[in-house]
Amino acid sequence: MQTGSVTTPFGRRSMTLALVRRQIESTDIKPGKTAEKWRVFRDISAAMEMLGIQPNSLAVLDALLSFYPDNELRKDAQLIVFPSNVQLALRAHGLASATLRRHIAMLVEAGLIIRKDSANGKRYARKDGRGHIESAFGFDLSPLLARSEEFALLAQEVMAKRALFRRAKESLTILRRDVRKLISAAMEEGAAGDWLAVEDIYVSLVARIPRNPNLSDLTAILEEMQMLHTEVINKLKNHTNLENNSANDRQIAQHIQNSNTKSPHEFEPSSRKEQDTNVEAIRDKKREPMKRFPLGIVLKACPTISDYGPGGAVLSWRDLMAAAVVVRSTLGVSPSAYQDACSILGPENAAIAMACILERANLINSPGGYLRDLTRRCEQGEFSLGPMVMALLKANGQEGLRAG
């Protein structure tokens, strides 16, 4: 880019030819054109990044506009303000002199203001005998009026992109939560399929989300997450269809068996005592203590829990239960939720459940709600810790191990 000392109507100063062109264009304002100065300022604030300026640049522009007495920028008005650096710094929230000069240069480079220097470089106004300003030297605000429509369009573009970003972020958050719940449910209930591979895909997608994503980042990951969601739903539909077919076969077989008129027990009523015994047997089955995994297996599946043990290690079941209490508090699980888990699962298995939850804490939105759901399922005989522990073993590269 060519630079040089160029004489222009705005003073003699070293500048780029592109800047000279923008300054000349900003003098070409349609007669009678006006613009509300603070509306223009708000549009520039919204489009700050697109214009290549910084928050302190906006503070300086805000201060410059405060020296312009009218609310409207007009073609026929005196659009040059001439505050001293001391006055300008005070109204720009006390910026240091070097910072002030740097941000004035940014505003000039962005084509938002124009320097109009006097012969000695000072800023002042020359008035006629009636006190009217006939010439002034300082900062020309005419680019703000000349480019007001451009700033409005830029602001609208920025706001539209922000709305798209917000919707994409919300959609990704909801989809991410749904996929996580579906995968967890499939693994816990033993649905057919390689759910650990599906979970690996999910985890890799989540890991690719940047700390400060832009719209293109979110859009790309959202599309992949939608594809994964569709695949998970289809797998679960197939599993449900298989279960329904199997259930129908059993019902038909049972119906045929019950329709056998030669059964010697066809009209023999069951005694109340036998019925009560059957109900009690079902309850006893639900209350049957869950199988406890060996401590070594648990620690290989859930190595993170050791950091919360006494002295930073877990050497016994007592240490594991003590660590689980610390983890409960760390993850925000209520004492009542953990007490219920201890009552239903047993203290050792409740500690194992907390270790498993800790291992997947980054993927669980509500550890307390998750523990209560596990407890409820275990109480109803619908869930056991085995598949969860074995899944974590496999995820940690210990798939060759088995519970004793």
Side-chain angles (χ1 to χ4, degrees):
M1 182 179 291
Q2 293 181 316
T3 60
S5 183
V6 182
T7 301
T8 73
F10 317 107
R12 185 177 182 83
R13 181 166 296 276
S14 179
M15 62 180 68
T16 66
L17 295 181
L19 183 57
V20 174
R21 185 173 62 253
R22 285 202 301 268
Q23 291 182 352
I24 294 174
E25 288 172 353
S26 51
T27 61
D28 185 18
I29 303 174
K30 295 178 181 179
K33 183 177 181 180
T34 64
E36 201 272 302
K37 67 178 182 180
W38 296 121
R39 183 178 182 84
V40 174
F41 178 77
R42 287 193 297 272
D43 291 339
I44 292 172
S45 299
M48 175 179 66
E49 293 183 3
M50 299 180 72
L51 292 168
I53 59 176
Q54 301 174 1
N56 279 341
S57 308
L58 290 176
V60 175
L61 182 60
D62 180 40
L64 287 171
L65 285 171
S66 71
F67 286 101
Y68 179 76
D70 298 331
N71 192 49
E72 281 192 333
L73 301 169
R74 302 189 311 277
K75 164 70 175 176
D76 58 351
Q78 171 57 255
L79 293 175
I80 297 175
V81 294
F82 38 89
S84 67
N85 279 351
V86 174
Q87 293 173 318
L88 193 55
L90 286 174
R91 295 199 189 183
H93 313 299
L95 290 180
S97 297
T99 305
L100 180 67
R101 289 193 297 272
R102 184 168 69 254
H103 288 286
I104 288 174
M106 282 187 181
L107 293 173
V108 173
E109 183 65 27
L112 302 180
I113 61 173
I114 299 171
R115 293 180 187 270
K116 186 175 181 182
D117 294 338
S118 63
N120 59 6
K122 300 295 184 180
R123 301 172 203 146
Y124 63 90
R126 183 180 292 115
K127 300 182 180 180
D128 58 19
R130 295 176 296 177
H132 297 153
I133 295 176
E134 59 180 18
S135 61
F137 301 93
F139 300 107
D140 190 349
L141 304 179
S142 59
L144 302 181
L145 177 58
R147 301 176 62 190
S148 58
E149 296 91 346
E150 176 191 346
F151 298 141
L153 290 174
L154 288 176
Q156 289 175 12
E157 182 179 346
V158 169
M159 298 308 291
K161 286 183 178 179
R162 286 179 183 173
L164 286 174
F165 178 85
R166 185 171 58 253
R167 287 197 293 270
K169 190 174 182 180
E170 290 174 354
S171 297
L172 181 58
T173 299
I174 294 171
L175 202 58
R176 174 181 169 183
R177 181 184 62 204
D178 290 347
V179 172
R180 175 68 268 176
K181 288 180 178 179
L182 290 170
I183 294 174
S184 297
M187 294 175 71
E188 290 168 10
E189 297 182 13
D194 189 357
W195 292 104
L196 284 176
V198 176
E199 184 181 48
D200 288 342
I201 296 173
Y202 170 81
V203 172
S204 66
L205 275 178
V206 173
R208 282 171 46 200
I209 301 175
R211 185 178 295 274
N212 296 305
N214 55 37
L215 181 59
S216 60
D217 293 330
L218 290 181
T219 301
I221 296 174
L222 180 60
E223 289 177 356
E224 294 186 49
M225 192 67 77
Q226 286 171 334
M227 293 172 62
L228 181 60
H229 182 266
T230 301
E231 182 180 351
V232 170
I233 290 292
N234 290 337
K235 284 179 178 289
L236 291 176
K237 282 182 179 178
N238 292 335
H239 175 71
T240 302
N241 290 336
L242 289 174
E243 282 191 336
N244 289 338
N245 292 336
S246 177
N248 289 337
D249 291 342
R250 288 195 300 270
Q251 289 173 1
I252 292 171
Q254 185 67 30
H255 177 71
I256 293 173
Q257 182 179 358
N258 292 340
S259 300
N260 184 0
T261 57
K262 295 182 180 180
S263 172
H265 306 289
E266 181 180 2
F267 300 106
E268 182 179 343
S270 299
S271 66
R272 179 59 182 243
K273 183 176 180 181
E274 288 175 337
Q275 293 175 354
D276 292 343
T277 301
N278 292 335
V279 171
E280 193 63 31
I282 293 173
R283 290 177 178 171
D284 289 341
K285 183 178 180 180
K286 289 182 179 180
R287 293 172 184 169
E288 184 180 356
M290 296 176 62
K291 180 178 180 180
R292 191 178 75 183
F293 275 73
L295 181 61
I297 295 291
V298 174
L299 295 180
K300 288 182 182 298
C302 310
T304 311
I305 192 72
S306 296
D307 297 336
Y308 296 84
V314 171
L315 304 176
S316 65
W317 283 105
R318 184 182 296 274
D319 291 347
L320 181 67
M321 289 186 284
V325 172
V326 177
V327 170
R328 176 203 67 73
S329 176
T330 302
L331 296 181
V333 176
S334 68
S336 62
Y338 188 66
Q339 185 59 45
D340 289 344
C342 289
S343 300
I344 302 300
L345 281 65
E348 293 88 353
N349 284 323
I352 294 174
M354 286 306 308
C356 292
I357 292 173
L358 174 65
E359 206 65 23
R360 286 284 188 261
N362 61 320
L363 303 175
I364 298 174
N365 291 330
S366 173
Y370 192 82
L371 180 62
R372 285 191 184 278
D373 186 61
L374 290 185
T375 303
R376 177 185 60 79
R377 292 187 178 198
C378 289
E379 185 179 24
Q380 296 174 355
E382 298 175 353
F383 176 76
S384 67
L385 291 173
M388 181 183 291
V389 173
M390 298 312 295
L392 288 171
L393 272 174
K394 187 173 182 180
N396 290 332
Q398 304 290 337
E399 59 266 41
L401 295 171
R402 291 293 181 268

